[in-house]
Amino acid sequence: MRHLIIPALIAGTALPCLAFAQPAFAAQATDAAAASAIDAAVAADLRGDDKARDQYRHPKETLAFFQVKPDMVVAEYAADAGWYSKILAPLTATNGKYVALGVSPSSPSLSAERKATMAAYPTAYPERAAKATGVGADKIHAYVANAVPAEMQGKIDRVLIFRMLHNLQRSGILGSELDAIHASLAPGGMVGVVQHRAKADAPAAYVDGSKGYLKEADVIAMFEKHGFVLAGKSEINANPKDPADHAQGVWTLPPNYALKDVDKAKYAAIGESDRMTLLFKKK
């Protein structure tokens, strides 16, 4: 569960039961070859201790729901050579293309230091990701969201955003980043979202992004405002044990345990956060 430290951005594979807004395109199943490739990427030894969190993050089912295939151009937003990078880069390295999209450095909420870091992202990230994923740096393509090169604009099949929207929301750049992502997607391209989910009646102060939780209806409305249509939703990553009302936000839960040893057994029993899993299509 991401807690991005930025000043002001503080700083097998059977598909589950799905509820689709537009079944015509969202109900397509991942084919057997793609499912097998996802299985292999998830099972890879290089993931090591990451596999312990599969029980909460369901990577096979999530990528199948997002209709990811190994021959696609797949972008991971705010990629950090971490948990999903170790699955997505090897998955697409041979027949597709793995793209890392960094946060746009022109965002006014970013500190000068963070802007410099993000400006260097396209050149610095491939080597770091190569060490983490075992994929050659020449096969890892890194850009910032609002500066995708002309030859890649309109060519990305999937953009995947994992537990990151709250950071964009509280920094005031969610809309501008969605516009940049929209421009980078191929016609009919889709965005897959996994995000900590607040209760529908959560107070506004709790869903401003500072607690990590957002309302599902608000997320859908924001995407629709920026040129997307809801293609489907799934309860793959739901956790009904999470009350989603923690004073210290989502970081109260594992793996962060913001309260350290205070009630640790209680939060361990809850597990990771309740999460919405949404799929949006570019209009």
Side-chain angles (χ1 to χ4, degrees):
M1 60 187 64
R2 295 190 180 181
H3 190 177
L4 189 63
I5 305 299
I6 300 175
L9 190 60
I10 294 189
T13 53
L15 289 174
C17 181
L18 309 175
F20 294 111
Q22 297 197 16
F25 53 83
Q28 299 170 6
T30 299
D31 61 40
S36 178
I38 291 171
D39 280 351
V42 170
D45 290 341
L46 71 88
R47 295 189 62 228
D49 293 342
D50 285 359
K51 294 178 183 180
R53 300 175 74 180
D54 289 0
Q55 62 178 312
Y56 302 117
R57 297 186 172 188
H58 311 100
K60 291 193 293 186
E61 295 85 354
T62 298
L63 295 180
F65 174 67
F66 291 156
Q67 300 171 34
V68 170
K69 298 182 180 182
D71 60 353
M72 287 180 169
V73 180
V74 178
E76 181 185 4
Y77 182 83
D80 60 0
W83 206 88
Y84 259 107
S85 306
K86 295 176 186 176
I87 298 173
L88 294 171
L91 176 66
T92 56
T94 301
N95 297 313
K97 185 176 289 186
Y98 172 74
V99 176
L101 286 182
V103 177
S104 301
S106 60
S107 302
S109 60
L110 300 186
S111 68
E113 180 181 5
R114 185 62 184 177
K115 286 180 180 180
T117 298
M118 294 316 300
Y121 185 85
T123 54
Y125 183 79
E127 287 292 344
R128 184 162 67 90
K131 293 177 182 177
T133 66
V135 172
D138 61 320
K139 292 184 176 294
I140 295 173
H141 308 269
Y143 317 112
V144 290
N146 69 346
V148 174
E151 63 270 21
M152 281 298 297
Q153 283 283 14
K155 302 291 178 60
I156 297 176
D157 298 301
R158 296 287 183 276
V159 175
L160 308 183
I161 308 176
F162 299 106
R163 307 173 316 282
M164 184 64 187
L165 295 182
H166 57 283
N167 288 311
L168 306 180
Q169 173 70 20
R170 62 177 160 175
S171 64
I173 61 171
L174 178 52
S176 60
E177 290 294 84
L178 290 182
D179 287 340
I181 289 168
H182 188 279
S184 71
L185 280 168
M190 293 195 274
V191 178
V193 170
V194 177
Q195 176 60 40
H196 313 297
R197 177 167 53 190
K199 301 302 182 186
D201 60 353
Y206 197 82
V207 295
D208 63 358
S210 63
K211 303 298 184 183
Y213 291 96
L214 299 178
K215 292 182 181 180
E216 187 171 297
D218 291 348
V219 171
I220 293 171
M222 179 62 81
F223 271 82
E224 290 178 340
K225 180 180 178 180
H226 289 273
F228 296 91
V229 61
L230 180 66
K233 59 172 67 176
S234 171
E235 292 300 298
I236 297 165
N237 296 300
N239 181 1
K241 293 188 292 184
D242 178 16
D245 62 355
H246 315 289
Q248 298 296 317
V250 71
W251 303 284
T252 306
L253 298 174
N256 296 79
Y257 292 111
L259 300 179
K260 307 299 181 185
D261 291 333
V262 176
D263 292 328
K264 188 171 184 178
K266 168 187 170 181
Y267 297 120
I270 291 173
E272 293 192 14
S273 65
D274 179 46
R275 293 164 186 165
M276 63 185 91
T277 304
L278 306 173
L279 185 64
F280 297 94
K281 185 180 181 183
K282 177 179 179 176
K283 287 184 181 178

